[in-house]
Amino acid sequence: ALEGDDDRAVVSECERGEGVALETYRAALGTDMPASVRAMVERQFAEIKEAHNLIGNLGRRSGAGA
């Protein structure tokens, strides 16, 4: 949860949210879908993984890493 202007709390909450998104995309990729939809979901999944890694790096620098 966010409290005030605590940078660590903000980074931790962002990392948590990105983690939830990653799990949701992993679950979606485990289902059948048209090839064009799968390509879009895979592209979005890759972008979310990259964002999650960037947020994780910020967290480690601020001491908030999960």
Side-chain angles (χ1 to χ4, degrees), residues 3 6-7 12 23 25-26 30 32 42 51 55-56 59 61-62 65:
E3 297 179 16
D6 185 357
D7 290 342
S12 291
E23 290 306 314
Y25 271 83
R26 278 189 190 103
D32 290 332
E42 287 174 346
I55 290 168
R61 280 190 235 144
S62 73

Side-chain angles (χ1 to χ4, degrees), residues 28-43:
L29 288 168
T31 65
D32 290 332
M33 62 184 77
S36 61
V37 174
R38 179 169 294 282
M40 179 180 60
V41 172
E42 287 174 346
R43 185 176 63 251

